[in-house]
Amino acid sequence: DSFRGAPAQDKVATLVNAARAQDAAASNKWVELVAIGARDEDVRVRQAAINSVAARFGSVRFRPSQEVLARRDRDRVHEPVLRRIAEEGLSDPDENVRRDSIVALGQLDVGSGRDINDIDLSERTARLITLMYDQETSGAVQAEIVKSLALIRKPVPGERELYVKALTSTIPDVLQFAAVGAAKVREVSVVARIAELLEHGERAVRMSAATSLLRFGSDSSGFGPQVRAALAAETDPAIKRTLEQLLGTIQ
């Protein structure tokens, strides 16, 4: 009751502190606060609730302590509730909450005790965010969707079609990660489009296009003229090196 009536900044601070708690009793209290906060009228509180889920579950990815691993194992009992909250956040009116809900679902999909920082998504999460792309009006959220899929290790249903669609976007962050994803699944139908991105005004897009074409290997061999033209025009040293490596591979 005191949490419900508190000012927004106090609610945010409470959620941050509760997410750091280690013991089982505090874990139960944290989940209760997240459930309340995720429905708050103030977007700052809703975002803090979602972010606390991402932070708590994502903490096992980066060489966690034994205490953090133990907490993650205890928290498994709360996963159904927390997943439902994060999934509801995908339709929040605020684009930042929607974006952070995608991140939270990704962190919920991380297993405990990993030796390396692998990224995976459950098929349910992948399906939800893939379907979300067409209805999404925010470029930042669309970029988070594409990035979340492009960076996972194993292909998931609908992923290939999403990259083809995303490469028609005008949003730089969407294009950047769509090129990465297309190379990951070797979607050769978009190699020509990725070659066009070598002339993009944003450095990150050009770098992504160059590295993706390099990953395509021999499938990029027909685009030597575009690569040479891009190399002649490029001023960024890292991109130039990648283009030189690419030319050495496809010539």
Side-chain angles (χ1 to χ4, degrees), residues 171-173 197-208 239:
I171 300 165
D173 287 347
L197 297 179
L198 294 174
E199 300 178 359
H200 198 277
E202 292 286 336
R203 179 196 181 277
V205 176
R206 298 197 309 277
M207 188 75 221
S208 179
I239 301 177

Side-chain angles (χ1 to χ4, degrees), residues 65-201:
S65 66
Q66 290 303 311
E67 290 79 10
V68 169
L69 289 174
R71 185 184 68 185
R72 175 67 175 85
D73 289 338
R74 287 197 302 270
D75 284 346
R76 288 185 184 280
V77 68
H78 301 300
E79 281 191 29
V81 172
L82 295 169
R83 285 185 184 277
R84 176 178 53 77
I85 291 170
E87 288 180 5
E88 289 175 354
L90 296 178
S91 58
D92 192 275
D94 185 83
E95 66 177 298
N96 294 314
V97 176
R98 297 197 302 274
R99 181 199 62 212
D100 292 348
S101 295
I102 295 170
V103 175
L105 285 170
Q107 302 299 355
L108 281 163
D109 286 342
V110 174
S112 63
R114 291 188 178 277
D115 294 324
I116 57 176
N117 185 23
D118 286 332
I119 302 174
D120 279 318
L121 290 181
S122 66
E123 287 197 8
R124 176 177 175 82
T125 298
R127 178 168 52 82
L128 284 172
I129 66 175
T130 300
L131 293 172
M132 181 182 177
Y133 183 88
D134 286 337
Q135 285 73 45
E136 184 51 59
T137 57
S138 164
V141 179
Q142 286 184 324
E144 190 64 45
I145 292 170
V146 178
K147 179 176 76 172
S148 296
L149 292 165
L151 297 184
I152 61 176
R153 298 180 303 163
K154 60 184 180 181
V156 294
E159 180 182 5
R160 187 180 298 270
E161 294 78 10
L162 177 66
Y163 301 138
V164 174
K165 189 184 308 178
L167 280 165
T168 66
S169 175
T170 59
I171 300 165
D173 287 347
V174 173
L175 293 171
Q176 176 188 350
F177 291 107
V180 172
K184 181 190 74 173
V185 299
R186 298 194 69 84
E187 179 54 51
V188 296
S189 69
V190 296
V191 175
R193 171 57 177 155
I194 294 174
E196 292 175 357
L197 297 179
L198 294 174
E199 300 178 359
H200 198 277

Side-chain angles (χ1 to χ4, degrees), residues 218-250:
S218 61
D219 291 319
S220 301
S221 59
F223 300 93
Q226 291 95 317
V227 176
R228 281 189 287 272
L231 178 58
E234 186 58 62
T235 59
D236 184 277
I239 301 177
K240 286 177 74 74
R241 287 194 297 271
T242 304
L243 291 170
E244 288 167 352
Q245 185 180 358
L246 174 58
L247 272 178
T249 300
I250 65 178

Side-chain angles (χ1 to χ4, degrees), residues 49-63:
I50 293 297
N51 284 341
S52 73
V53 176
R56 189 172 174 104
F57 279 80
S59 61
V60 299
R61 289 177 51 197
F62 304 101
R63 298 189 181 279

